[in-house]
């Protein structure tokens, strides 16, 4: 069974596989990591059956390794994502993402009257809840929850 | 506090709050001082608020400082589309401190990040207005002789009312007991109730303004605004319910005082004005002393 699923997205020689992304968050993760601007070979699969999420997505990025703070940015969209670091077709390391205490320049503030939505100000948030992921704006102090999150 | 901005009431520790109130009390005794001599304070009111602006300007003048600024944005470069950033960076060259009121929420925090001179937030939309809270605290302490363990009744729009939220946060340093009086649509949001529970403070909720008033040390009135209701029928039902009348003060405590951030519309009947328990006009005078204290501390007075 596992073998079959793996085959749906081709294996990579070197690079990073990001697994356990909720299917609905796939494009958010792509946006957050800026994958649309990459030249690397990238393959992804979505709407795959997962016992934990219902539908999950997976991204494979060839010849790319992420620093912790770089990859942790996706935690607000995919808090349960798992990383497999691949070298020579072998998983040499597994990592989980960690929701940071503060985030900057990833999501928009939900409040239309907030300075970050009026002037060119980079949104900054304090992460209030690491499980459901809710964000408190450091400017207007309003809370943006997962449901209302719009990514920059 | 020296050279620091004041953006939100939670920027201040309990000790800093007490220090401000103590100094305000000194200024009340000796209102003519020179602590702001040679200083220029800019009052930038991107939206009009005459009372707040005059209170700040009076405070600067009493301290020997000078004021520049504008009382609304329409005749300024802001109306031509200048960004807040550019306005702040420009005015910072002309002044030693900027007092700003702006309709955009979070604008004061942002200004404090980019400004080379301290910023005092005189209201950023529905978000924060810390000097109002400090003058409320000063008024409460002055009339009650203490801030500790008081019974505070918050009345009216408790859902959107920024002044009541800030007052609740600040009073929580001093072990207060709260009674929330509001229509169901405008109840105190859960986040503030959770905050009080975490701090181990007592509160209760009621919809009837007539109940339990004999227990109050402070009745803090706010306006119930029509535009806050999704259903106009609901507003019509409650609009005359949250009006304080003189007869309702009959069995209240001798020390009880009625506060209101003003402007009042009809939520306190004018027949209350002559009652010695009405304190909303002296409350505004306290704003001048409180702002004198805040500005002096930011300019480094010990
Ligand atoms: Zn915001």
């Amino acid at each position: 069974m596992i073998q079959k699923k793996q085959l749906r997205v081709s294996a990579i020689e070197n690079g990073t596989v990001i697994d356990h992304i909720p299917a609905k968050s796939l494009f958010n993760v792509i946006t957050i990591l800026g994958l649309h601007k990459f030249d690397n070979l990238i393959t992804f699969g979505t709407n795959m059956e997962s016992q934990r999420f219902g539908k999950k997505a997976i991204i494979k990025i060839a010849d790319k390794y992420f620093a912790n703070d770089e990859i942790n940015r996706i935690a607000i969209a995919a808090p349960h994502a798992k990383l497999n670091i691949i070298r020579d077709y072998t998983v040499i390391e597994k990592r989980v993402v960690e929701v940071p205490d503060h985030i900057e320049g990833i999501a928009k503030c939900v409040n239309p009257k907030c300075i970050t939505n009026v002037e060119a100000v980079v949104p900054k948030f304090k992460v209030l809840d690491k499980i459901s992921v809710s964000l408190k704006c450091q400017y207007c102090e309003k809370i943006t929850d997962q449901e209302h999150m719009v990514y920059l | 506090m020296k050279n620091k901005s004041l953006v939100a009431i939670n920027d201040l520790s309990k000790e800093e709050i007490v220090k401000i109130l103590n100094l305000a009390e000194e200024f009340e005794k000796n209102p003519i001082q020179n602590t702001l001599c040679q200083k220029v304070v800019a009052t930038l009111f991107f939206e009009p608020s005459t009372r707040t602006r005059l209170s700040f300007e009076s405070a600067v003048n009493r301290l020997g400082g000078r004021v520049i600024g504008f009382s609304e944005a329409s005749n300024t470069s802001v109306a031509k589309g200048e960004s807040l950033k550019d306005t702040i960076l420009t005015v910072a060259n002309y002044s030693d401190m900027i007092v700003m009121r702006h309709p955009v929420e979070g604008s004061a925090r942002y200004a404090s990040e980019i400004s080379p001179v301290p910023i005092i937030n005189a209201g950023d939309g529905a978000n924060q207005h810390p000097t109002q809270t400090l003058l409320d605290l000063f008024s409460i302490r002055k009339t009650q002789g203490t801030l500790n363990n008081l019974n505070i009744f918050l009345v009216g729009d408790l859902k959107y009312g920024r002044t009541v939220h800030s007052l609740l946060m600040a009073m929580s340093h001093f072990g207060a007991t709260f009674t929330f009086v509001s229509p169901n649509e405008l109840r105190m949001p859960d986040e503030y109730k959770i905050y009080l529970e975490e701090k181990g403070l007592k509160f209760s909720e009621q919809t009837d303004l007539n109940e339990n008033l004999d227990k109050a040390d402070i009745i803090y009135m706010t306006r119930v605004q029509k535009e806050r209701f999704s259903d106009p029928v609901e507003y019509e039902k409650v609009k005359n319910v949250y009006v304080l009348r003189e007869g309702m003060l009959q069995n209240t405590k001798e020390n009880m005082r009625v506060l209101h951030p003003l402007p009042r519309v009809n939520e306190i009947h004018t027949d209350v004005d002559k009652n010695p328990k009405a304190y909303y006009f002296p409350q505004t005078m306290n704003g001048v002393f409180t702002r004198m204290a805040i500005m002096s501390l930011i300019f480094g007075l010990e």
Side-chain angles (χ1 to χ4, degrees):
Chain A
M1 198 59 196
I2 291 163
Q3 200 64 26
K4 251 186 177 172
K5 272 186 186 167
Q6 293 273 321
L7 288 174
R8 286 184 195 151
V9 180
S10 61
I12 52 174
E13 186 178 348
N14 293 298
T16 305
V17 176
I18 309 170
D19 198 358
H20 293 287
I21 301 165
K24 62 176 170 50
S25 300
L26 172 64
F27 290 95
N28 293 330
V29 170
I30 291 170
T31 308
I32 293 167
L33 291 175
L35 297 183
H36 51 292
K37 295 175 201 141
F38 278 37
D39 290 327
N40 307 45
L41 176 68
I42 302 174
T43 49
F44 64 86
T46 189
N47 294 329
M48 303 159 99
E49 292 302 328
S50 154
Q51 283 170 335
R52 278 182 74 186
F53 301 108
K55 304 260 188 205
K56 69 163 188 174
I58 186 166
I59 306 176
K60 301 191 176 194
I61 308 145
D63 304 314
K64 171 73 189 172
Y65 302 99
F66 293 92
N68 276 336
D69 53 350
E70 199 179 357
I71 199 70
N72 284 343
R73 291 163 54 90
I74 72 167
I76 57 166
H80 306 290
K82 289 195 168 55
L83 268 71
N84 293 311
I85 318 298
I86 316 279
R87 282 192 201 276
D88 202 11
Y89 296 106
T90 313
V91 177
I92 60 153
E93 190 191 340
K94 285 177 181 284
R95 264 156 57 189
V96 290
V97 298
E98 228 175 279
V99 183
D101 296 324
H102 295 271
I103 68 155
E104 207 176 310
I106 299 172
K108 285 179 66 162
C109 176
V110 74
N111 176 9
K113 285 184 258 171
C114 175
I115 186 75
T116 61
N117 290 316
V118 175
E119 207 158 293
V121 179
V122 177
K124 285 186 210 159
F125 300 92
K126 185 173 182 238
V127 178
L128 289 187
D129 185 331
K130 293 197 176 190
I131 295 156
S132 71
V133 188
S134 64
L135 308 175
K136 182 172 184 176
C137 178
Q138 303 221 345
Y139 293 100
C140 75
E141 305 183 17
K142 293 280 180 303
I143 292 161
T144 303
D145 59 20
Q146 187 70 254
E147 194 189 334
H148 297 97
M149 227 167 269
V150 176
Y151 299 89
L152 288 169
Chain B
M1 280 181 74
K2 192 180 173 187
N3 288 326
K4 280 212 223 145
S5 294
L6 175 57
V7 174
I9 191 69
N10 9 343
D11 292 351
L12 298 172
S13 66
K14 179 180 175 179
E15 291 68 34
E16 285 172 322
I17 290 172
V18 171
K19 196 173 179 182
I20 291 167
L21 303 186
N22 289 345
L23 186 59
E25 206 174 273
E26 290 301 312
F27 282 129
E28 186 177 19
K29 288 179 207 150
N30 306 292
I32 307 299
Q33 299 290 335
N34 272 316
T35 57
L36 264 62
C37 187
Q38 316 266 323
K39 299 289 186 189
V40 176
V41 175
T43 53
L44 307 187
F45 278 60
F46 296 86
E47 66 177 4
S49 172
T50 310
R51 182 177 314 97
T52 303
R53 184 173 56 85
L54 293 181
S55 173
F56 268 107
E57 294 185 354
S58 170
V60 176
N61 281 300
R62 283 165 191 261
L63 294 172
R66 306 245 173 187
V67 178
I68 58 169
F70 50 81
S71 55
E72 53 170 329
S74 63
N75 286 324
T76 69
S77 50
V78 179
K80 295 176 196 149
E82 185 178 60
S83 68
L84 174 62
K85 183 180 184 181
D86 289 8
T87 308
I88 294 294
L89 292 179
T90 307
V91 174
N93 291 325
Y94 306 147
S95 60
D96 303 299
M97 174 189 283
I98 295 172
V99 175
M100 65 177 274
R101 186 184 187 95
H102 199 290
V104 172
E105 294 163 23
S107 53
R109 179 73 66 199
Y110 175 60
S112 76
E113 288 179 354
I114 57 168
S115 171
V117 302
I119 300 283
I120 296 181
N121 183 6
D124 60 325
N127 188 29
Q128 287 273 348
H129 189 8
T131 63
Q132 173 71 47
T133 310
L134 288 160
L135 84 86
D136 290 341
L137 293 177
F138 184 79
S139 301
I140 293 170
R141 193 174 84 164
K142 190 172 153 186
T143 59
Q144 306 301 315
T146 178
L147 282 174
N148 295 319
N149 307 314
L150 296 170
N151 255 310
I152 311 283
F153 279 53
L154 301 174
V155 183
D157 179 358
L158 306 186
K159 185 174 179 184
Y160 300 101
R162 136 189 103 182
T163 50
V164 294
H165 298 158
S166 297
L167 185 61
L168 178 150
M169 302 291 271
M171 283 304 292
S172 70
H173 290 302
F174 303 95
T177 301
F178 295 95
T179 302
F180 304 142
V181 189
S182 73
N184 271 325
E185 285 223 10
L186 299 178
R187 284 170 62 177
M188 183 62 75
D190 286 343
E191 56 177 297
Y192 294 100
K193 295 182 201 163
I194 293 166
Y195 177 82
L196 293 178
E197 277 165 5
E198 281 171 356
K199 287 210 130 194
L201 296 178
K202 280 179 273 176
F203 63 87
S204 58
E205 288 183 283
Q206 60 188 55
T207 52
D208 186 351
L209 178 55
N210 288 291
E211 267 175 37
N212 299 319
L213 287 181
D214 57 327
K215 298 196 176 65
D217 295 308
I218 292 289
I219 299 177
Y220 196 97
M221 297 294 299
T222 64
R223 186 149 53 105
V224 173
Q225 289 167 282
K226 189 176 183 176
E227 53 269 31
R228 298 299 192 196
F229 285 79
S230 48
D231 181 357
V233 179
E234 283 300 313
Y235 172 72
E236 290 305 319
K237 270 196 250 170
V238 302
K239 71 173 182 186
N240 292 320
V241 176
Y242 297 90
V243 177
L244 193 69
R245 292 165 202 280
E246 218 231 339
M248 295 158 73
L249 303 183
Q250 226 162 35
N251 295 319
T252 55
K253 288 188 191 176
E254 211 44 53
N255 63 295
M256 194 285 286
R257 291 294 177 273
V258 179
L259 269 57
H260 189 299
L262 302 183
R264 149 183 71 174
V265 180
N266 65 346
E267 57 279 10
I268 302 176
H269 195 278
T270 49
D271 67 10
V272 179
D273 296 357
K274 62 179 186 302
N275 191 303
K277 292 175 181 174
Y279 195 72
Y280 27 94
F281 294 118
Q283 189 183 352
T284 59
M285 182 63 196
N286 294 336
V288 177
F289 305 130
T290 311
R291 289 171 176 126
M292 287 167 83
I294 293 163
M295 288 190 281
S296 298
L297 288 169
I298 292 175
F299 278 127
L301 180 80
E302 276 308 312

